[in-house]
Amino acid sequence: MTAEDSRTALASTFGVEVISAPVMSVTVSPDRWEELGRFAKETLGCRFFSFLTAVDWKEQGLEVVAKVDNLEDNVALLLKTRLGPGVTTCSSLTPVYRGANWMERECFDMFGIRFENHPDPRRILLEDTWQGHPLLKSYAVDTPYPPYR
Amino acid sequence: MLDESTVSRVEVDWAGPERLTMNMGPQHPSAHGVFRAIVTLEGETVVAVDAVIGYLHRCHEKLSETLTYAQYPSIASKTDYVAAMTSEFAYVLAAEEIGKIEVPKRAQYLRVICAELQRIASHLLWLGTWCMDMGGALGGGATIFLYCIRERELILDLFEALVGARLLYGFFQVGGTRYDIPDGWAQTCRETIEVIDSRIDEYPQMLEQNAFFLARARGVGIVSRELAQDVGVAGPLLRGSGVNWDLRRDAPYSSYQDFDFRIPVETDGDCYARYRVRIAEFRQAIAIVRQALDKLPAGPISSRPALKSVAQIRIPKGEAYARVEGPRGEVGTYMISDGSAKPYRMKWRGASFSNLAILPHIIPGHKVADVVAIMGSVDPVFGEVDR
């Protein structure tokens, strides 16, 4: 599906505003996150899963961002959802995109977001016994952690 | 006489499947870096692979929130340290996209020249180490390794003349490049790529008639089109599986649209197909470097004044996702800026991280020996995987 058609389809199905620049992005509420992923893959044809990450907006809570591409029609799409203050759970996109597996493990590792229905919820980059989630803004960059720091 | 009642009997089932869990790495000559693969074997066949990564994690994303736009490009090269030019490229492109900073044409062409030379150097290292993994250091593998490193040294000499460093540069900065090419560099570069162009013919001659190489590469590690896109692999891994996608042509950046080059695509999806893609990319990279050197315009190399203080570059509030086609695929930076001299959040979309995620899907079913061949053909660089 072309970029224009994708935009109209997203706006009509999810009833949200679709931002065009710099990358076409759409923000939905967390309860429609997996539905959005499925819609992007099956209806819009965005079968290439680029990445999934999170942003810590401090008091406003965490935001999960995923990028998917439609390589045939050259459409890039950013999917976003704001989890809300204090919320650390989100539904997993792993049933839709297999590439989300490692990306969501990294989000858990770095931000503490627990993804429901994730087949393998454990840390990926840090060791399994690490305490804390470093990419949160509340985690100072020079937090002591013997024996590494 | 043996007292039968005190002898214990152990029944051994030699016919049934016995699973052995074996650890490969993180210190392993063929692991291409610090990588731990916990493989579960039934005899010689791999049944499951658990890829454990994170041994090279250096918190690049947290560091980028504490370093300014002027400071970070120097260490951005340490993510994909084998192709350091393209690593820095992604970061500065994102900052320039948010800040709407124009890059002068000369700087764009210099960036292209360096990125393509880097692609050649990176593929040379890949070919040498992959063949050495499969051939053994004392067997035939060291032959091709030495030839590839010999060629790679020529390119590293060029980079040393340009930047002063062989492996990790600090060539890119927000607004352009940091150095201009010295006198005589263009001529030396032309001569170097002539030499490399003539020697690249030797590698297919050495390899493609070698029955052992073909046996280890053909039909091994097949990645289907659908799996490749679902997991998000990019670069030769994607093009070896039949997906005709290259950012230099489909989402051009930094004047790539000015150059004439082809994108090699193979459909088999096995290690041999990925090898064919990378060999063809050698030639295309050489063609791009020649064209860029011929058309190199005069002019400034940066649209920003020379850096005098670390907080000199401020990017207004915004976000962008900038991506470049590195030798391993799509290297991208998702950057959110907040108007200060440091980014608010920067996510490194590492090509090798997504490429490596394919291993648990394609290795099961192969023999132990194929694990090394597949891992080599995926071409991971752990600086990019772990960041």
Side-chain angles (χ1 to χ4, degrees), chain A residues 22 41 47-51 53-54 56 74 80 98-99 106 122 124-125 134-137 139 141, chain B residues 50 53-54 57 61-62 65 226-227 229-233 245 250 319 321 323 330 344-345 349 387:
Chain A
K41 184 173 184 188
R47 281 185 289 273
F48 182 81
F49 182 79
S50 191
F51 66 86
T53 186
D56 184 7
N74 205 343
K80 299 185 187 185
R98 275 171 284 187
E106 191 185 335
R122 50 187 173 125
I124 189 168
L125 294 177
L135 273 176
L136 290 172
K137 292 287 178 183
Y139 193 101
V141 93
Chain B
D50 182 18
I53 59 176
H57 179 64
E61 298 183 4
K62 190 81 178 174
E65 294 172 16
E226 191 265 325
L227 179 68
Q229 292 194 51
D230 210 28
V231 173
V233 301
W245 175 257
D250 298 316
E319 70 168 36
Y321 176 64
R323 47 191 178 165
E330 177 177 326
Y344 183 80
R345 165 89 176 102
R349 194 255 184 223
R387 286 153 281 139

Side-chain angles (χ1 to χ4, degrees), chain A residues 27 65 74 95 115 117:
Chain A
T27 309
V65 179
N74 205 343
F115 289 91
N117 306 324

Side-chain angles (χ1 to χ4, degrees), chain B residues 100-111:
Chain B
K100 305 210 190 330
I101 298 174
E102 266 225 25
V103 180
K105 206 71 170 163
R106 184 178 175 85
Q108 291 185 16
Y109 275 48
L110 284 178
R111 285 178 173 186

Side-chain angles (χ1 to χ4, degrees), chain B residues 151-210:
Chain B
E151 265 71 277
R152 187 177 143 90
E153 285 298 308
L154 300 173
I155 298 184
L156 295 186
D157 285 343
L158 279 175
F159 284 145
E160 194 181 2
L162 177 65
V163 173
R166 279 161 45 93
L167 196 71
L168 299 169
Y169 322 103
F171 184 60
F172 289 72
Q173 66 179 31
V174 178
T177 63
R178 204 155 146 202
Y179 306 103
D180 201 349
I181 56 175
D183 293 331
W185 192 88
Q187 182 54 30
T188 318
C189 185
R190 265 185 244 273
E191 285 161 15
T192 306
I193 55 178
E194 284 306 323
V195 166
I196 294 180
D197 200 6
S198 65
R199 287 185 184 162
I200 289 178
D201 292 324
E202 294 176 2
Y203 310 138
Q205 274 176 17
M206 274 191 270
L207 292 170
E208 284 170 29
Q209 281 145 31
N210 185 329

